């Protein structure tokens, strides 16, 4: 079947990885416009509304395709989940649940950020929360740059797994800052 004719994507794509589904090379840095464009193309072909008049089996298949496309799109769009997925494809477990080892300088940074969050929350200081959020966004961008080198250039999967764990901490702290912000605003 051809997706350009409004039919479901080729069946062999269903079992391939998300990069293949979206026609992207398997790497950390991706063409976000190509991802977005391919997402809309695939969703247009697979959307269950387009198949509502078809047999039950085809409607179910279009639902499965739509779910798979959404799942892949969300995963590839997020730099953190894309990095984890790339490592998983290479058989590398980032050890997020059982490996909390971090370099000493990052552990110090974590403590400073946590203290800054506690102080801002206690003082009900929105400006301090904003400043912390800006610092965290920069730390995330730095980690993404490092991941691009580790995954796409150096192919250093162990170092990339450590950077992914670092990004997971940054993401969690970002959620805590957003929650503190929301609490102060209400």
């Amino acid at each position: 079947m051809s997706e350009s004719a409004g039919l479901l994507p080729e069946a062999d794509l269903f079992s391939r990885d998300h990069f293949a589904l979206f026609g992207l090379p398997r790497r950390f840095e991706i063409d976000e416009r190509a991802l977005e464009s391919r997402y809309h193309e695939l969703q247009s072909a697979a959307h269950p509304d387009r198949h509502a008049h078809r047999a039950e089996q085809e409607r179910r298949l279009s639902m499965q395709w739509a779910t798979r496309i959404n799942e892949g799109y969300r995963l590839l769009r997020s730099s953190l989940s894309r990095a984890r997925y790339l490592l998983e494809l290479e058989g590398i477990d980032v050890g997020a649940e059982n490996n909390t080892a971090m370099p000493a300088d990052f552990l110090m940074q974590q403590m400073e950020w946590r203290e800054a969050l506690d102080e801002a929350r206690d003082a009900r200081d929105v400006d301090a929360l904003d400043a912390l959020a800006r610092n965290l966004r920069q730390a995330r961008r730095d980690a993404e740059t490092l991941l691009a080198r580790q995954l796409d250039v150096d192919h250093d999967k162990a170092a990339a797994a450590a950077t992914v764990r670092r990004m997971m901490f940054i993401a969690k702290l970002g959620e805590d800052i957003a929650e503190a912000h929301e609490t102060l605003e209400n």
Side-chain angles (χ1 to χ4, degrees), residues 163-186:
T163 303
V164 165
R165 288 191 299 275
R166 181 183 299 210
M167 283 183 70
M168 291 171 71
F169 173 83
I170 291 169
K172 173 68 177 103
L173 187 59
E175 291 171 8
D176 293 346
I177 291 169
E179 186 180 307
H181 229 289
E182 192 174 311
T183 300
L184 292 182
E185 289 173 352
N186 293 326

Side-chain angles (χ1 to χ4, degrees), residues 17-22 24 27-28 30 32 35 71-79 81-82 85-86:
D17 68 57
H18 296 309
F19 290 97
L21 176 61
F22 286 91
L24 297 170
R27 45 184 293 124
F28 180 72
I30 59 170
E32 293 181 13
L35 173 65
E71 211 175 82
Y73 176 71
R74 276 195 302 270
L75 186 143
L76 294 179
R77 222 173 119 206
S78 160
S79 60
S81 61
R82 186 172 61 248
Y85 182 60
L86 274 169

